[in-house]
Amino acid sequence: MTLITNLLATLINLATLFGVVVAFCLAALTRDLPDHRALATWEPSVTTRLYAGDGAMIAQYARERRLFLPIGAVPARVRQAFLSAEDKNFYLHPGIDLTSLATALWANLANYGSGRRMIGGSTITQQIAKNFLLSADRTFERKLREAILSIRIDQTYSKDRILELYLNDIYLGLGAYGIAQAALTYFDKPVDQLTVAEAAYLAALPKAPNNYDPYRHPERAVARRNWVIEQMRRNGVIDARVAAAATASPLATRSKRQEASAERADYFSEDVRRQLASRYGEAALYTAGLSVRTTLDPRLQQAAMRALRKGLVAYDQAKGYRGPAARLASLQGWQEALAARQPLSDVPEWRLAVVLSAGTDTAELGLRRSGAGDAVADTVQIDRKDHGWALCHIKEGRRRCAFSLDAVLSPGDVVYVETLRTGTVLRQPPQVQGALVSMDPNTGRVLAVAGGFSYAQSEFNRATQAYRQPGSSFKPFVYAAALDTGYAPTTLVMDAPIAIADGTGKTWRPKNYDGRFSGPSTLRTGLENSRNLMTVRLARHLGMDLVADYGKRFGIYDTLSPYLPMSLGAGETTLLRLVSAYAVIANGGKAINPSMIDRIQDRYGRTIYRQDGRQCANCNALSWEEQDEPDLVDNRDYVLDPMTAYQITSMMRGVVERGTARNVATLGVPIAGKTGTTNDEKDVWFVGFTPGIVTGVFLGYDTPKPMGYGETGGGLAAPIFIDFMKVALEGKPAADFHPPGGMTFQTVDRKTGRPTDDGAPGAIVEAFKPGTGPCDGNCTVIDDREMAELPADDAEPGLPPALKEKLLNTTGGLY
């Protein structure tokens, strides 16, 4: 009896000791366990996506490419595929599966010392515990901590919530996190459209996605997918017929279509990306899963890039051939050498080629394959008669030409070519750059942005980042200031030479572009023909403080120094700011805020930003009960008198119909606009508009230098505008500009401003504000012969010497 008592006492003591040891171990293991309740507020890193105005995706930004998908949106076949592959007892076990653990333990003991990888036997819940809360260390201690956390997680959250975390967190290869992104990456379809075979393939990936890459290891991928299909059959998820059909189907993965569905929108999307990063921070941009609806019109964006590239290439080729992009030391192995070179990725119509041989009239070129392969097999011949531009070049200001292809091409030359319907032609990336911006003048929505020839070549956006002199394209705002202060389009200003002392012994002598002058002329004539001398006199009478105020009021400049040369566009601004200013004139004088973003939604679909701030209380009626249409009140301020806006628009229509942009009239619709050409032809501009769209074009070298004598905004920028507007106006009825109420109209002589008969030479119908009209008699002429001196350096210590020199050199060329 004593023996039994002692034995029982010993067993109790051992059990107590074992319990104390277990409790001590559990306490040690759980002392610093992560708080599993943090999973309740888990928000995964989700891809931010940019969409064009028509819903096409144009860009996406992410550190982990993921789209969050609620568990309720996951089809049963997809859930069951993952459960069959990873954790068939998921809905039955308490977070750990003792049967699976025992199987894994037995297998590990059997494989001990063999060098094989240890089997974990983890449930989906354990994977959540490891991935979210613990490290990936393969230790016994970590497995125990993982098991404890898994039980706690299972007790705290529903099975569906745990599965939702898992399906949205797992990495499935090719940069895709979560099943929603993986479905798009591998099959280019949403999760609810996945077949059984496709769902099984995705379920095969979590263990080792690189091992089952469909492009590098297709046999392994199919074998693993078929294993998952068999598990689904064994678990009763699918029947034998469905399993057999799924097993027999090809893998059928396909690369997701081009992420930027709206082609050639890199400059636009990068500008939006910077705006988002500035507003929400870089971290949120790449993790918050924002859905951004932009203002981009994909059709116009493509037209913008095509038109700008065509214009840049035309100008560049007129200057002649500059030589090859590179040279190969030897033609041996030219295929591999050419394949290693990267072409301009966003100009797919241009291909790299190497000159294999060149003769007098023909040359043979080997082409880099345009597809994904690296091998090059194609060769083409080019003909001298198609390459007159490439035979010539400008040297020391003179055009020099050769008479054979072998004079400009040599074997080993790496060049660009483009295949046209008429044959293959040489190309070269232009050195000159430019930009195009198009906008809705009524809303400020930016419809297209072309910031240069190629984003792959240069990410610098000349539409929004390049500050350049607008030249005469600033003049409409000087004339608008005059019209706002009581002048009329028929007011006469003297077009005659001016010499203005600067107070330091130097003299400023502005000139008209053509070097001639016309005597007393109307404001209309001065703007139509871009007369510098008239503009300077007008600015002097108005006062440069007023002109500077208008430059700031329209958003062209933040500040504008009140010096007379600034009236000729000697200040610096961006194309986007100038186009926005013209949009104010086009819409009748209302302020606009140029915008590339319409709306931003967070990952849950809640709108967190909307550009259109107008309120409409009755716009969301559930049904129509014969009530009036809701009135969307436009409460924007007026920047410009609507009557002035109409007058300046009418004058700029004259620029197109009779003035410096007559080629734009070939579009055949009412268009107003203004050219701009700066000193020494360093920058050329054209900005034009209809009632529904305003578009601006700029050309110039990134490091400003003369583009060539005689190059003007009308000759270089306007043709690009025309090419773009042909697309923008296609299918739309021609709309005319409508005058505001209260204006009067009278036929006048365009040159003298005096009343004349309809149909008389030089007759034009002019618009007048109430209380104004044409001069019929001895008309006053603005002719300030004693122009004020420019401020001397000692009188204006804040004026930098470099700016003073620039102003003094602003003479002619502003056209």
Side-chain angles (χ1 to χ4, degrees), residues 522-561:
T522 60
L523 290 186
R524 170 181 286 278
T525 301
L527 187 60
E528 288 182 358
N529 296 325
S530 200
R531 311 305 283 177
N532 294 334
L533 300 174
M534 292 178 62
T535 304
V536 170
R537 278 193 171 87
L538 183 62
R540 170 68 184 101
H541 271 263
L542 295 171
M544 274 306 298
D545 286 337
L546 179 62
V547 173
D549 178 67
Y550 267 65
K552 183 177 181 180
R553 180 191 302 185
F554 280 85
I556 302 172
Y557 307 106
D558 292 329
T559 58
L560 182 66
S561 300

Side-chain angles (χ1 to χ4, degrees), residues 272-564:
V272 173
R273 188 201 68 80
R274 285 196 296 266
Q275 292 180 39
L276 294 173
S278 175
R279 183 185 296 270
Y280 301 109
E282 289 282 343
L285 170 65
Y286 289 95
T287 63
L290 303 176
S291 177
V292 184
R293 179 61 64 94
T294 73
T295 61
L296 185 79
D297 184 318
R299 184 176 68 94
L300 297 187
Q301 179 63 32
Q302 292 185 39
M305 289 303 302
R306 282 197 300 267
L308 180 63
R309 284 176 179 165
K310 177 183 175 182
L312 294 176
V313 168
Y315 170 83
D316 185 73
Q317 289 189 173
K319 301 299 180 184
Y321 182 60
R322 294 189 302 276
R327 280 193 55 80
L328 301 183
S330 170
L331 287 177
Q332 185 174 3
W334 65 266
Q335 296 93 337
E336 293 76 14
L338 200 59
R341 296 181 178 272
Q342 294 301 315
L344 295 173
S345 59
D346 55 348
V347 193
E349 57 269 31
W350 286 22
R351 298 172 65 180
L352 280 173
V354 62
V355 178
L356 302 178
S357 64
T360 301
D361 297 317
T362 62
E364 184 180 23
L365 277 62
L367 299 179
R368 184 186 193 276
R369 182 174 295 177
S370 58
D374 287 335
V376 180
D378 298 333
T379 61
V380 296
Q381 278 197 341
I382 62 173
D383 198 284
R384 177 172 62 90
K385 64 180 175 62
D386 299 323
H387 293 85
W389 74 269
L391 299 178
C392 300
H393 64 281
I394 306 296
K395 185 175 182 180
E396 298 177 353
R398 298 184 62 185
R399 186 177 180 86
R400 304 177 185 274
C401 298
F403 298 97
S404 63
L405 279 177
D406 56 4
V408 293
L409 296 178
S410 301
D413 285 356
V414 177
V415 296
Y416 282 97
V417 298
E418 181 179 6
T419 301
L420 307 174
R421 286 182 296 177
T422 55
T424 301
V425 295
L426 285 176
R427 293 288 187 234
Q428 65 182 4
Q431 291 182 334
V432 70
Q433 285 290 351
L436 184 151
V437 169
S438 190
M439 178 186 297
D440 182 337
N442 299 301
T443 62
R445 299 176 71 249
V446 178
L447 305 175
V449 172
F453 175 76
S454 163
Y455 185 81
Q457 179 191 55
S458 169
E459 297 180 8
F460 182 67
N461 191 337
R462 289 109 188 142
T464 60
Q465 294 176 299
Y467 279 80
R468 308 293 285 254
Q469 292 180 327
S472 293
S473 56
F474 176 67
K475 288 177 181 174
F477 304 96
V478 180
Y479 284 76
L483 295 172
D484 258 355
T485 52
Y487 295 78
T490 54
T491 299
L492 296 175
V493 180
M494 180 60 71
D495 183 15
I498 305 171
I500 308 173
D502 74 338
T504 64
K506 295 182 180 180
T507 303
W508 181 52
R509 300 178 184 274
K511 299 176 182 178
N512 289 327
Y513 184 79
D514 58 10
R516 296 179 292 182
F517 43 90
S518 306
S521 303
T522 60
L523 290 186
R524 170 181 286 278
T525 301
L527 187 60
E528 288 182 358
N529 296 325
S530 200
R531 311 305 283 177
N532 294 334
L533 300 174
M534 292 178 62
T535 304
V536 170
R537 278 193 171 87
L538 183 62
R540 170 68 184 101
H541 271 263
L542 295 171
M544 274 306 298
D545 286 337
L546 179 62
V547 173
D549 178 67
Y550 267 65
K552 183 177 181 180
R553 180 191 302 185
F554 280 85
I556 302 172
Y557 307 106
D558 292 329
T559 58
L560 182 66
S561 300
Y563 306 114
L564 284 173

Side-chain angles (χ1 to χ4, degrees), residues 45-87:
S45 174
V46 180
T47 302
T48 288
R49 292 189 162 195
L50 272 56
Y51 298 92
D54 65 354
M57 188 174 70
I58 61 175
Q60 56 181 346
Y61 304 101
R63 290 176 181 160
E64 296 178 353
R65 292 172 54 220
R66 175 188 287 108
L67 295 174
F68 185 82
L69 191 67
I71 191 63
V74 182
R77 62 181 175 278
V78 177
R79 297 193 210 182
Q80 292 298 335
F82 279 87
L83 293 179
S84 296
E86 295 293 316
D87 189 357

Side-chain angles (χ1 to χ4, degrees), residues 754-781:
R754 294 179 178 179
T756 189
D757 296 329
D758 293 338
I764 186 172
V765 177
E766 195 63 85
F768 296 94
K769 297 179 182 178
T772 67
C775 171
D776 188 7
N778 188 20
C779 303
T780 301
V781 180

Side-chain angles (χ1 to χ4, degrees), residues 35-43 156-157 161 165 604:
D35 187 355
H36 64 285
R37 291 171 296 184
L39 296 176
T41 57
W42 176 72
E43 287 190 341
T156 305
Y157 303 102
R161 172 58 177 167
L165 292 174
Y604 303 107

Side-chain angles (χ1 to χ4, degrees), residues 12-213:
I12 291 172
N13 289 334
L14 289 174
T16 301
L17 179 63
F18 178 75
V20 170
V21 171
V22 169
F24 177 81
C25 290
L26 286 175
L29 288 171
T30 59
R31 184 181 303 117
D32 58 349
L33 272 181
D35 187 355
H36 64 285
R37 291 171 296 184
L39 296 176
T41 57
W42 176 72
E43 287 190 341
S45 174
V46 180
T47 302
T48 288
R49 292 189 162 195
L50 272 56
Y51 298 92
D54 65 354
M57 188 174 70
I58 61 175
Q60 56 181 346
Y61 304 101
R63 290 176 181 160
E64 296 178 353
R65 292 172 54 220
R66 175 188 287 108
L67 295 174
F68 185 82
L69 191 67
I71 191 63
V74 182
R77 62 181 175 278
V78 177
R79 297 193 210 182
Q80 292 298 335
F82 279 87
L83 293 179
S84 296
E86 295 293 316
D87 189 357
K88 67 178 181 180
N89 296 321
F90 173 74
Y91 281 96
L92 302 176
H93 61 64
I96 58 174
D97 188 342
L98 295 178
T99 302
S100 296
L101 284 175
T103 302
L105 179 61
W106 177 260
N108 290 334
L109 289 173
N111 295 330
Y112 183 76
S114 65
R116 296 181 182 178
R117 184 175 177 176
M118 303 290 281
I119 299 174
S122 297
T123 64
I124 284 176
T125 314
Q126 287 176 276
Q127 293 183 53
I128 291 293
K130 179 184 71 174
N131 295 341
F132 285 79
L133 303 173
L134 298 171
S135 69
D137 297 339
R138 287 184 166 273
T139 63
F140 183 71
E141 178 184 348
R142 199 269 297 162
K143 290 295 292 184
L144 287 176
R145 290 160 62 85
E146 177 186 291
I148 295 169
L149 276 174
S150 298
I151 294 173
R152 291 182 177 181
I153 290 171
D154 196 84
Q155 292 173 344
T156 305
Y157 303 102
S158 68
K159 289 289 188 179
D160 281 350
R161 172 58 177 167
I162 297 170
L163 186 59
E164 180 181 75
L165 292 174
Y166 174 76
L167 293 178
N168 282 286
D169 176 68
I170 49 174
Y171 178 65
L172 295 171
L174 299 186
Y177 288 81
I179 57 172
Q181 183 64 56
L184 293 173
T185 299
Y186 287 99
F187 300 107
D188 194 17
K189 60 173 62 173
V191 171
D192 61 353
Q193 294 180 17
L194 293 175
T195 65
V196 169
E198 292 165 346
Y201 174 70
L202 295 186
L205 293 171
K207 291 296 184 186
N210 291 335
N211 291 344
Y212 307 114
D213 185 300

